[in-house]
Amino acid sequence: MGYVAIKGGGVAIKGAQDTLEYMRCAQGDTGSPLDMKTIEHQLRFLHGRVLSEGGLYHPELASLAVKQSLGDSLEAAFALRAYRSTKPRLLETPTLDTSNMRIVRRISAAFKDIIGGQTLGATTDYALRLMRTELLDESPEAFRQVAQQWFKDQGDNAIPDTFPKVVDSLRADGLLAEVDTAAQQQPFDITREPMIFPVPRSAALATMARGETGSLLAIAYSNMRGYGDVHPTVAELRVGYVPVMLPHPISGELIEAGEVLMTECEVVAMYESDDEDDKPTFSLGYGACFGHNEVKAIAMSILDRSLQKGMKDGPTNPSEDPEFVLLHVDGIDSMGFCTHYKMPHYVTFQSDMDRLRTTQEKAQQAEEQA
Amino acid sequence: MTAMRQAKAVYPFGFLDEYAKKEVRRTVLKAIAIPGYQVPYSSREMPMGRGFGTGGLQLTLSLIGSNDTLKVIDQGSDDSVNAVNLRSFIEMTCEGINTTDVTDEADLIQSRHRIPEKPLREDQLIILQVPYPDPLVVVEPSEDKRKVMHGEADYSRLLVKLYEDIVQFDEITISHRYPTRINHHYIIDPSPIPRWDVPKLHQSKALILLGAGREKKIYAVPPYTDAEPLAFDDVPFRVENFIDQHGKRRACDRCGDTTSFLDEFTSSDGNKVYQCSDSDWCREQLQKKGA
Amino acid sequence: MKKIEAIWLPDVQQQVFRALMEVMSRPGKTAHLAELVDDCSALRALLATLIDGEVSLADRDQLLDSSDWPLLQCQQRDVESAAYVVCAGERAPDFEPKLGTLASPEHATTLILKLKSVQAGKQQCTLSGPGINGTQKIAVSGLNRAWLEQRQQWNSAFPLGVDIIVVDDTHVMALPRTTQIEVTSWDM
């Protein structure tokens, strides 16, 4: 009797787990295990992606997820998201005000100078992508020296805690529509309610906030290249720590429970003028996510703008179609389904062969008769 | 295993939090009350891939209690990698439940791609894992529009598609996921079961629940409910054919049975081999022969 | 410390749900809940099992204690807009429940009617439809006949309609929108 792949599944799974675990530890005597803080700091951007795509702000578990998935961002986000499924919701925050963000980076492409100033902060934007061969064999001493030196150079020139937002000054000048207070109703909760289209903008924002960076980028890029016409200008991109306010369980008074690292982007797009009575204004696209992930925040803000257009006038290309965008940007959904094609499908394939053979026979009979 | 012990400490019974289970349970009741209608639900992430049975798994975890005896099958087998994986996860997170390979002993069956050959009883329940819940997706990409078509039982475009198939190939070429009308209204995708299993949906003694985790839908075929595969008067619905070139029904190489759905594969010596797809059925036939 | 009633425990709710699912799958079949839920009523048991902060509930005839509401955590709504509506079966319907829409028929009210008995009585009907092998006889008491007349009207355009769960102190039975009800004898 030949080998039948279906039998002995339990043994095979155990073997696969053991092999993967060996690979993680294959350095043997010369290796040392990654600790959680190393991942959080030295793999900062990967860590941020996992926080945001996992949809759960838990830096330590995000590090663990990166470690156990051997750095696969989709797998790591997945582990975090699945952990989230087991946790009941205890409290809800009110709408958080990102103008209270403790800024680590803040730029505007719209104005040369902005109130509070541009803060370039930590970015690779202007770095030369040359191989830094000195890091190949970095000594722990040299590594520690960097942080010591950095603090020594900082001095006492304290930066303010908060900055006003660029879009507020555009609003003050009448260039941007006032905040739609009617839209500030209870946001759609994609983790508790199924999305039945058409969905409100809050459902789209929530879906994209935990969307997969590459998927958001690909669809936003299609819009940038010409399958759409958002033509964005980055009014403000900020990275920093947003205080999370929670009602005190007894007094109900808002207290700061902690802060979350976030990236936020507001793009201003060309104005709309089809409401005849209103004076035309620029339109706004909004993107925000956990962690430091600027590509994601910008891509999301462009898609927010294109989706608003699609919701209003009907989609004319993929990036304006809410069903197309929102049902295809979740990394957990798409990677899971992609992976599942590796599972056995031989019952359905048997069925496929049966149909093909029947139609082949019929075709042959028809040929013989002719 | 230490990994399992640690996981037990962190995760609650049935993995999902109780609110998630309540939502699935409410959805199940609506699904039963509206036979064949795909009820949307919010669908939580499971620790296995979307596409690996997360919809079925959420149903099982929301339904199961320590009195239950569970059977998990994939491609008809309890020992395939995915079935083993799902079963050990459920065992790990649901302390005290029983599991079995024997169809007769199970009261809860979670399955991918097959319905057991042995007719199910009233005290049993089968949960099918669904990758694509909506049969209309081939003719209408927008869910918004499909929902209206379903509500109106407007399946004309699906029938036209079927008809075009017949014109081109003189045969309905749908091999599995055969569109089936439930209680004379909704047409469902019965999950990727072969056509062989479709007649088992009709007037089933057991409740049939279908769960699509990635697409976030739950639907049901209640017991004693009509389930009719789409067909035309002159081109009937046909199940898979296991007749050889001499006109003889192929038999299972292991148990010799000539009544079950067969898997076909090529053995290492290059010969075609046919075997029962349903491993428990095959075991039972072998046992009967031995007795 | 006050002991938690059985109906709020996850493993009890799991068993109550399985009983509910069974009766919803097989209209006319009754399930006995008393042993599962100690001394709690079937009505409270099924509410504790189904309701949470995500759904809305209306209690037309004040059948619930005010102390139950915070535990159910749900939004309290009027009878015409709530997802779940509890009524005393003796009192005739005096409102239009939600029937759902063609695209979303699940957005229909689940009516929970409290009767004297769902096990025996002089109000007798024959049921047919999905979930029933041929026909199923039921006998109840404490049901105002107007409910059946209204129900027929509400359920006249499938998939729109209301799904009804009937309870007495210890039993539960279901009449989903697909069930055809024929009255065979009726005495109050």
Side-chain angles (χ1 to χ4, degrees):
Chain A
M1 203 55 243
Y3 164 71
V4 183
I6 196 100
K7 301 296 171 197
V11 181
I13 291 174
K14 177 80 173 64
Q17 281 168 348
D18 290 349
T19 311
L20 194 63
E21 183 62 358
Y22 163 72
M23 286 185 157
R24 193 176 69 83
C25 308
Q27 271 178 294
D29 292 344
T30 60
S32 51
L34 283 168
D35 70 71
M36 298 303 111
K37 284 291 174 196
T38 302
I39 293 170
E40 188 175 337
H41 293 286
Q42 295 192 50
L43 301 176
R44 177 182 171 86
F45 296 106
L46 171 61
H47 184 260
R49 254 184 93 152
V50 172
L51 279 178
S52 109
E53 293 170 18
L56 177 70
Y57 197 86
H58 197 314
E60 190 188 18
L61 283 185
S63 292
L64 177 61
V66 168
K67 178 173 176 166
Q68 71 183 34
S69 64
L70 283 67
D72 182 326
S73 67
L74 289 165
E75 279 289 348
F78 189 176
L80 205 56
R81 191 85 77 80
Y83 175 77
R84 192 186 195 281
S85 293
T86 67
K87 296 291 158 201
R89 163 170 309 177
L90 302 177
L91 285 170
E92 282 178 37
T93 71
T95 307
L96 299 178
D97 185 352
T98 52
S99 67
N100 293 331
M101 183 187 267
R102 188 162 64 80
I103 297 286
V104 298
R105 170 162 158 75
R106 173 184 189 242
I107 53 157
S108 170
F111 299 101
K112 188 173 171 186
D113 204 1
I114 49 181
I115 301 169
Q118 309 238 16
T119 307
L120 198 54
T123 174
T124 57
D125 288 352
Y126 304 100
L128 296 174
R129 272 67 165 196
L130 302 174
M131 297 313 296
R132 290 179 60 196
T133 48
E134 75 273 18
L135 297 184
L136 274 175
D137 197 15
E138 192 180 19
S139 71
E141 292 74 30
F143 179 84
R144 286 164 197 152
Q145 187 69 35
V146 176
Q148 286 167 11
Q149 192 61 43
W150 195 82
F151 279 116
K152 209 186 283 173
D153 293 347
Q154 280 307 296
D156 286 336
N157 53 342
I159 45 170
D161 277 348
T162 60
F163 294 86
K165 301 193 76 167
V166 173
V167 290
D168 287 338
S169 61
L170 288 174
R171 284 201 182 96
D173 288 346
L175 296 173
L176 196 62
E178 286 303 311
V179 176
D180 183 2
T181 43
Q184 286 186 330
Q185 29 172 266
Q186 190 68 8
F188 188 99
D189 184 349
I190 55 163
T191 70
R192 293 292 183 277
E193 275 179 81
M195 279 208 285
I196 301 167
F197 290 91
V199 293
R201 183 179 172 210
S202 61
L205 290 172
T207 303
M208 291 192 288
R210 49 179 216 174
E212 200 267 331
T213 306
S215 311
L216 290 166
L217 175 62
I219 306 178
Y221 183 50
S222 75
N223 187 291
M224 300 177 216
R225 279 195 67 257
Y227 288 89
D229 56 357
V230 168
H231 303 296
T233 301
V234 174
E236 185 169 355
L237 176 94
R238 40 168 77 191
V239 182
Y241 294 86
V242 180
V244 175
M245 309 305 286
L246 277 176
H248 187 277
I250 296 163
S251 70
E253 195 184 334
L254 284 181
I255 48 169
E256 187 177 326
E259 53 181 19
V260 292
L261 176 63
M262 289 193 72
T263 307
E264 183 188 52
C265 179
E266 282 157 316
V267 295
V268 166
M270 279 322 284
Y271 56 84
E272 290 184 328
S273 54
D274 45 356
D275 293 338
E276 283 175 21
D277 299 335
D278 290 339
K279 78 175 174 185
T281 54
F282 285 127
S283 57
L284 185 73
Y286 183 80
C289 60
F290 285 152
H292 187 168
N293 190 343
E294 299 177 16
V295 162
K296 178 169 175 177
I298 299 168
M300 177 175 163
S301 63
I302 292 168
L303 289 174
D304 172 44
R305 188 57 231 139
S306 62
L307 289 179
Q308 286 184 65
K309 182 169 185 282
M311 286 172 184
K312 189 159 164 254
D313 306 330
T316 54
N317 54 56
S319 63
E320 292 172 0
D321 183 339
E323 273 197 52
F324 185 87
V325 175
L326 301 180
L327 294 182
H328 297 117
V329 295
D330 191 79
I332 315 302
D333 285 357
S334 59
M335 75 82 95
F337 206 53
C338 180
T339 310
H340 113 282
Y341 286 109
K342 292 180 283 186
M343 281 203 295
H345 277 81
Y346 44 73
V347 168
T348 53
F349 194 67
Q350 181 72 49
S351 208
D352 288 341
M353 286 194 293
D354 168 87
R355 287 292 78 188
L356 182 60
R357 282 172 182 154
T358 307
T359 44
Q360 279 179 343
E361 273 166 29
K362 286 208 168 177
Q364 198 176 347
Q365 281 165 13
E367 210 169 281
E368 280 164 7
Q369 280 164 12
Chain B
M1 285 203 309
T2 50
M4 283 199 180
R5 261 204 299 279
Q6 280 166 8
K8 258 181 205 164
V10 181
Y11 294 108
F13 181 94
F15 185 78
L16 293 166
D17 80 73
E18 289 301 314
Y19 298 107
K21 289 183 195 168
K22 275 192 178 177
E23 191 206 359
V24 171
R25 291 168 183 167
R26 288 191 295 259
T27 309
V28 165
L29 295 186
K30 283 295 171 198
I32 294 167
I34 316 169
Y37 169 68
Q38 304 160 54
V39 191
Y41 76 115
S42 58
S43 186
R44 306 300 159 96
E45 280 76 12
M46 292 280 104
M48 50 265 296
R50 295 287 209 195
F52 284 66
T54 59
L57 188 60
Q58 288 178 75
L59 280 168
T60 299
L61 294 173
S62 302
L63 263 55
I64 203 166
S66 49
N67 304 330
D68 285 310
T69 302
L70 174 75
K71 173 182 165 80
V72 183
I73 33 181
D74 188 323
Q75 313 288 302
S77 164
D78 302 75
D79 199 26
S80 70
V81 268
N82 195 47
V84 170
N85 205 26
L86 287 167
R87 184 170 52 245
S88 54
F89 172 70
I90 299 166
E91 282 171 340
M92 184 176 94
T93 52
C94 303
E95 227 177 322
I97 62 151
N98 298 307
T99 55
T100 182
D101 292 354
V102 181
T103 306
D104 268 345
E105 291 174 358
D107 64 340
L108 214 65
I109 301 170
Q110 178 172 338
S111 174
R112 171 171 174 262
H113 293 195
R114 282 306 314 274
I115 295 174
E117 301 289 355
K118 190 145 209 185
L120 298 178
R121 304 183 308 260
E122 286 192 350
D123 61 337
Q124 293 177 309
L125 147 71
I126 185 162
I127 292 167
L128 294 172
Q129 303 170 197
V130 179
Y132 311 93
D134 199 329
L136 283 177
V137 83
V138 292
V139 293
E140 175 51 63
S142 161
E143 182 170 357
D144 197 13
K145 291 185 187 139
R146 290 199 302 268
K147 282 180 78 68
V148 176
M149 290 163 73
H150 277 298
E152 292 171 345
D154 170 12
Y155 296 109
S156 48
R157 283 161 69 190
L158 194 62
L159 285 165
V160 168
K161 180 99 173 57
L162 229 56
Y163 179 73
E164 283 169 350
D165 231 30
I166 296 167
V167 170
Q168 192 180 354
F169 298 109
D170 192 24
E171 186 71 33
I172 298 172
T173 61
I174 302 172
S175 55
H176 54 279
R177 294 176 49 212
Y178 198 94
T180 303
R181 194 163 210 149
I182 305 303
N183 189 35
H184 314 282
H185 189 98
Y186 288 104
I187 291 179
I188 64 163
D189 182 322
S191 88
I193 53 172
R195 302 191 304 291
W196 185 268
D197 288 342
V198 169
K200 296 172 185 165
L201 303 173
H202 181 66
Q203 294 289 325
S204 159
K205 287 183 177 167
L207 169 65
I208 301 162
L209 294 175
L210 300 101
R214 189 180 46 85
E215 296 284 346
K216 306 175 173 60
K217 302 285 184 334
I218 288 170
Y219 51 109
V221 182
Y224 300 111
T225 298
D226 287 345
E228 303 152 307
L230 285 196
F232 296 96
D233 290 343
D234 50 343
V235 187
F237 166 80
R238 269 195 270 260
V239 300
E240 287 77 0
N241 175 2
F242 293 105
I243 308 289
D244 68 12
Q245 59 270 42
H246 310 298
K248 202 164 157 243
R249 172 58 153 86
R250 293 186 200 278
C252 168
D253 268 23
R254 272 182 85 218
C255 71
D257 184 58
T258 54
T259 64
S260 76
F261 185 87
L262 299 173
D263 286 338
E264 165 186 335
F265 55 95
T266 311
S267 69
S268 45
D269 51 19
N271 291 326
K272 275 249 166 78
V273 180
Y274 291 86
Q275 262 184 15
C276 287
S277 148
D278 181 339
S279 57
D280 182 57
W281 176 261
C282 195
R283 181 199 55 74
E284 196 178 304
Q285 306 314 306
L286 270 176
Q287 204 174 33
K288 275 186 195 159
K289 257 170 59 177
Chain C
M1 212 181 123
K2 207 181 151 197
K3 196 169 157 269
I4 298 173
E5 287 178 295
I7 54 168
W8 306 108
L9 301 174
D11 57 327
V12 173
Q13 291 184 358
Q14 181 268 335
Q15 293 181 66
V16 172
F17 171 70
R18 287 291 288 277
L20 262 175
M21 188 175 79
E22 179 67 11
V23 299
M24 189 61 91
S25 306
R26 301 171 199 279
K29 184 175 176 175
T30 57
H32 187 230
L33 299 183
E35 281 151 31
L36 287 179
V37 299
D38 296 342
D39 293 330
C40 299
S41 71
L43 174 65
R44 292 180 68 235
L46 81 91
L47 290 179
T49 300
L50 290 179
I51 305 293
D52 62 21
E54 302 298 318
V55 295
S56 54
L57 176 68
D59 177 18
R60 186 190 67 171
D61 302 312
Q62 281 82 49
L63 297 174
L64 293 176
D65 282 346
S66 58
S67 59
D68 285 329
W69 285 94
L71 290 169
L72 290 170
Q73 300 174 325
C74 57
Q75 311 140 38
Q76 193 162 0
R77 290 253 192 91
D78 62 83
V79 285
E80 306 227 327
S81 68
Y84 293 82
V85 176
V86 180
C87 295
E90 284 171 336
R91 218 186 114 198
D94 52 358
F95 62 96
E96 278 295 312
K98 293 195 298 176
L99 303 180
T101 63
L102 269 186
S104 299
E106 79 279 20
H107 292 163
T109 301
T110 301
L111 263 180
I112 301 161
L113 299 182
K114 173 80 193 333
L115 308 190
K116 261 201 223 81
S117 170
V118 301
Q119 282 282 88
K122 289 181 177 169
Q123 300 164 351
Q124 295 171 355
C125 304
T126 301
L127 313 182
S128 59
I132 299 165
N133 186 13
T135 57
Q136 166 80 39
K137 288 186 167 28
I138 60 165
V140 303
S141 66
L143 180 64
N144 190 310
R145 194 167 173 168
W147 284 107
L148 294 185
E149 284 146 19
Q150 276 294 333
R151 177 186 180 274
Q152 194 160 17
Q153 198 191 320
W154 292 331
N155 293 358
S156 61
F158 185 84
L160 308 190
V162 293
D163 306 308
I164 299 179
I165 300 174
V166 288
V167 292
D168 58 25
D169 281 335
T170 51
H171 296 85
V172 56
M173 176 173 78
L175 301 166
R177 68 191 75 180
T178 50
T179 304
Q180 310 289 322
I181 305 180
E182 194 196 328
V183 175
T184 48
S185 118
W186 200 271
D187 260 319
M188 282 309 277

